[in-house]
Amino acid sequence: MALDFVLSWFLKKRKHQIDLFRQYPIEVQQEIFNSNLGLAKDTQYGKEFGFGSIASRKEFAKEVPIVNYEKLHPWINRCIEGEQNLLWPTEIKWFAKSSGTTANRSKFIPVSKESLEDCHYKGGKDLLTLFYDINPQARLYNGKCLILGGTSQLNENSQGSYFGDLSAIIIKNLPFWVEYKRTPTMDIALMDQWEDKIERMAQTTSKEDVTNIAGVPSWTMVLIKRILEITGKDNIMDVWPNLQLYMHGGVSFKPYRDWYRNMMPANKVTFLESYNASEGYFGVQDRTEINDMLLMLDYGIYFEFIPKGEWDKDNPETITLEEVEIGKPYALVISTNGGLWRYKIGDTIAFTSKFPFRFNIVGRTKLFINAFGEEVVIENAESAIHMASKRTNCTVKEYTAAPIFMEDTETGGHEWIIEFETEPKSITEFKTILDNHLKAVNSDYEAKRSFDLSLREPKITVAPKNTFYLWLKSRGKLGGQHKVPRLANDRVFIDEILDFIKDEKTNAHSYSW
C-alpha cells in the first residue's frame, strides 16, 4: 500500500509535464529540435550535413536527406564495430535488433543512454502515469509486473557492446524499483529458445500475484493459453485475480480484442496501447473510451510527416506538426536522441485530433495490396477481419493476404490464409462479410469488385492450428519482435506459407473457400 502511494505521487508529477506538452506542443518540438541538433553538431554525421550552421527546421529539411535503414546502414555498421561520435555524441553500446515483419535481413538500431532513459523508459513510466490518472485507486505495486520480453546476446565485434530485442535491452537496464517487482527472473526473461522460454515463464508466473502485464498480444496469448493448460483454469482472472492492467503494442489489437476481453473483463482490467518501436517510443493511449494514442512530444524525438502523395518519391517533401490535418495518412519521419536523422521508419499514422495531438497507426508504406488499383491498406484489412469475426462470432489468431494475379482470361483476386482460434460456423458467411466490408471502407476495392470486373471474390484458406507459429519457428523467427506479414503486394510469403501447410510438419489439413 505504501509503495503504491509513493509511486502514485511520483507519477502525478509526471502528469503535469504531459499536460505541458499537450498545451504547448509546437514549442516543445522546437526545443527538442534545437537540443538534438546542438548536441550532435560535432558528430561525423553532424559535420557532414552541417548541423552547426542550420538555423531553422525548414533549412534542416533542405540540407539533411531523408533516409531509410539501408541508407543509414553503413553508419550503423561502423557503430557496431565500435566507432563512436558518428551519429550521436555519447557512447553507443546497445543495438536493438528488429526484424520489422519477417524480412530475412535484421535491422540493428543504435540505442543511446539518452534514448533509453528519456524515451523508452519514459514511455513505460508514462503508461503507468496515465493508468493511475484513469484509475487513481489502483494497487499495481501490491503484486508483480509480467514483462514478456525478447532476447539479447553479446556483440563480439566490440567489447561491452550488446545487441538484442529492444525489450531485452530494456530489461537488462531496468531501474531497481521496476526490477524489484518484475517477473519472471532475468535468466528466464532473456532466454533465446522461445518454446522453452514460454514453458518456463508459464510454470513460474502462474504462481505469482500478477497485477499488470506488458507484451505483444500474439505472444502473450500463447503464454496465457499455456498457463491455463497448466493450472486447469478456464480464465486467466482465476489465476491472477488481482490483474488490473494489460499494456500491449507491436501489432494491431483488433484481431485479439474479443479474446482478451473474455479473459480480462473490462470492469476489472484496463487495456492501454503503446506505440513502441526499436527506433523510439512514439505514442501512449491516454483514454480508455477511444482507441487512439497521444503523440509523446518530449521524448527527444523531433517529428516530420510525409503526405501520402510523396511516399514513393526519392526526396519527398515533409510537413511539420503544426501543418498536419486530421484524418489524412502520413508516413512518419523521426530525428532522435539515439542518432537517427530524418529516418523514415515505414509506419503511417493518421491524426484523430490536434491540441492535443492524438493519432492511430494506419499501416505501413510498404504493407498493402495494390495489384489492380484497389489500394487495400492494413487499416482496411484489420477493420474487415474485425467485422467478419464479430458478425460470425469467431476469433482470428493470425492471417496474411496477397494478390492472385490474372491469368489468361481469369480476373485477379485476393487470397487470404487465416488461422482461427475459434472458427466461424460458416466460412462462406465470414468471407462474404469480409468482402462486403472491404467494399464499404475502400471505394477503389469496391469499384474493382463490381461485376467481378477486375477482382473476383476473395479466396480464403483456413490454416491448421499453429501453422503460423510453426512457420515462424521454421524460419528461426520466434519471439515478440517477429511478426506475420499481414499484407503483401506479391506472393513471396503467401506461397511459402501455402507450401508449408502442405508439409507434414503441420500434421493437419487446410481447406479453401
Side-chain angles (χ1 to χ4, degrees):
M1 185 73 72
L3 287 172
D4 263 296
F5 176 79
V6 173
L7 179 63
S8 180
W9 175 84
F10 173 75
L11 295 176
K12 281 179 182 178
K13 293 182 67 177
R14 172 58 187 158
K15 175 63 166 46
H16 292 307
Q17 295 173 319
I18 293 174
D19 289 339
L20 188 66
F21 77 66
R22 280 172 167 160
Q23 189 174 0
Y24 302 104
I26 309 306
E27 292 83 352
V28 169
Q29 275 287 277
Q30 183 68 53
E31 282 186 24
I32 296 293
F33 172 78
N34 293 339
S35 175
N36 284 0
L37 219 60
L39 287 170
K41 63 182 175 62
D42 293 324
T43 63
Q44 289 194 35
Y45 202 85
K47 289 177 179 177
E48 179 162 330
F49 294 104
F51 284 8
S53 61
I54 291 175
S56 68
R57 291 181 290 172
K58 185 176 181 180
E59 192 174 346
F60 178 66
K62 180 181 178 182
E63 299 297 330
V64 182
I66 288 178
V67 296
N68 55 20
Y69 184 80
E70 285 69 28
K71 290 182 179 178
L72 203 61
H73 178 254
W75 290 86
I76 293 175
N77 196 52
R78 289 168 61 190
C79 291
I80 291 173
E81 294 293 335
E83 287 191 61
Q84 297 294 337
N85 202 40
L86 293 174
L87 296 165
W88 189 250
T90 60
E91 183 182 21
I92 302 289
K93 61 179 180 180
W94 302 301
F95 297 89
K97 185 179 179 181
S98 171
S99 295
T101 57
T102 48
N104 290 320
R105 183 179 181 181
S106 295
K107 297 186 294 184
F108 295 90
I109 305 299
V111 179
S112 69
K113 180 176 180 289
E114 290 81 4
S115 64
L116 190 64
E117 294 183 355
D118 298 335
C119 182
H120 294 294
Y121 282 165
K122 207 171 186 178
K125 286 186 286 187
D126 283 352
L127 263 173
L128 296 179
T129 297
L130 293 166
F131 170 72
Y132 271 89
D133 186 52
I134 296 167
N135 303 278
Q137 303 304 315
R139 294 291 180 264
L140 294 184
Y141 227 67
N142 287 350
K144 294 288 185 75
C145 174
L146 192 162
I147 301 178
L148 186 58
T151 63
S152 71
Q153 64 188 95
L154 185 68
N155 172 14
E156 298 178 354
N157 294 319
S158 178
Q159 189 173 5
S161 176
Y162 292 85
F163 58 82
D165 296 344
L166 174 67
S167 55
I169 293 172
I170 290 173
I171 288 174
K172 286 179 73 72
N173 294 279
L174 282 173
F176 76 92
W177 60 274
V178 177
E179 181 62 25
Y180 173 63
K181 285 290 187 176
R182 184 188 58 77
T183 189
T185 56
M186 192 171 294
D187 62 315
I188 297 175
L190 299 180
M191 287 176 65
D192 58 1
Q193 296 298 320
W194 270 85
E195 290 179 311
D196 293 340
K197 177 176 181 170
I198 290 292
E199 182 63 26
R200 290 190 62 186
M201 287 188 75
Q203 295 288 349
T204 57
T205 61
S206 61
K207 301 169 186 175
E208 298 278 10
D209 179 18
V210 173
T211 59
N212 57 112
I213 304 172
V216 176
S218 53
W219 291 104
T220 305
M221 177 190 282
V222 172
L223 175 63
I224 288 175
K225 289 174 67 177
R226 180 57 186 143
I227 289 173
L228 295 178
E229 289 175 358
I230 291 170
T231 60
K233 305 294 185 181
D234 295 323
N235 192 288
I236 199 63
M237 299 302 294
D238 295 331
V239 181
W240 298 321
N242 297 313
L243 184 63
Q244 301 164 60
L245 171 64
Y246 177 40
M247 300 168 280
H248 60 88
V251 299
S252 172
F253 197 51
K254 282 184 179 179
Y256 306 98
R257 188 181 304 279
D258 291 341
W259 187 88
Y260 275 95
R261 273 300 176 217
N262 288 331
M263 284 289 145
M264 306 173 186
N267 64 332
K268 293 184 178 180
V269 180
T270 299
F271 292 0
L272 289 181
E273 184 175 7
S274 66
Y275 180 14
N276 185 18
S278 298
E279 295 86 352
Y281 212 123
F282 309 127
V284 175
Q285 186 177 348
D286 65 334
R287 49 187 183 175
T288 56
E289 70 277 11
I290 301 177
N291 297 313
D292 55 8
M293 287 178 278
L294 181 69
L295 189 66
M296 308 309 283
L297 299 174
D298 66 346
Y299 285 8
I301 299 173
Y302 170 64
F303 293 100
E304 297 174 82
F305 308 91
I306 305 176
K308 186 175 182 180
E310 297 280 324
W311 289 355
D312 295 328
K313 295 182 180 179
D314 291 334
N315 189 29
E317 294 289 332
T318 61
I319 61 174
T320 55
L321 188 64
E322 55 264 50
E323 298 172 291
V324 299
E325 297 180 43
I326 293 173
K328 291 190 175 182
Y330 298 103
L332 205 55
V333 175
I334 56 174
S335 297
T336 77
N337 52 4
L340 302 178
W341 299 102
R342 305 202 78 210
Y343 183 91
K344 184 169 66 172
I345 65 174
D347 290 346
T348 59
I349 67 171
F351 285 94
T352 58
S353 72
K354 299 175 67 170
F355 300 97
F357 286 88
R358 293 191 179 99
F359 68 95
N360 283 318
I361 303 168
V362 296
R364 301 272 298 175
T365 55
K366 295 183 179 179
L367 204 61
F368 59 88
I369 303 177
N370 191 32
F372 313 103
E374 67 273 42
E375 296 192 30
V376 172
V377 297
I378 188 65
E379 184 183 30
N380 302 153
E382 295 285 7
S383 178
I385 285 284
H386 176 70
M387 179 59 69
S389 299
K390 183 178 180 180
R391 295 270 300 277
T392 61
N393 195 30
C394 72
T395 304
V396 172
K397 185 177 181 181
E398 298 286 1
Y399 74 88
T400 191
I404 302 171
F405 294 106
M406 297 179 180
E407 291 184 0
D408 300 326
T409 59
E410 289 190 9
T411 57
H414 291 174
E415 183 165 10
W416 298 69
I417 301 177
I418 302 177
E419 181 182 329
F420 291 96
E421 180 68 25
T422 306
E423 287 194 22
K425 291 182 178 179
S426 170
I427 297 296
T428 300
E429 181 186 8
F430 181 94
K431 178 172 67 173
T432 299
I433 295 169
L434 180 137
D435 186 34
N436 287 337
H437 191 74
L438 283 173
K439 293 175 185 176
V441 298
N442 185 321
S443 59
D444 291 314
Y445 179 86
E446 181 183 32
K448 303 302 182 295
R449 282 283 292 116
S450 296
F451 306 105
D452 292 345
L453 190 61
S454 298
L455 285 176
R456 60 180 182 267
E457 68 175 5
K459 175 183 178 182
I460 293 181
T461 295
V462 178
K465 296 284 187 182
N466 296 321
T467 290
F468 286 93
Y469 178 90
L470 293 171
W471 175 67
L472 286 169
K473 181 183 177 181
S474 73
R475 306 176 87 247
K477 298 291 185 179
L478 289 181
Q481 296 293 316
H482 304 294
K483 308 179 186 76
V484 173
R486 298 303 196 196
L487 300 180
N489 209 36
D490 56 47
R491 294 190 57 85
V492 173
F493 286 123
I494 203 165
D495 283 340
E496 185 176 326
I497 297 169
L498 287 170
D499 288 341
F500 184 82
I501 288 174
K502 294 176 184 177
D503 195 287
E504 62 183 2
K505 293 178 186 176
T506 59
N507 294 316
H509 299 288
S510 64
Y511 55 95
S512 299
W513 293 79

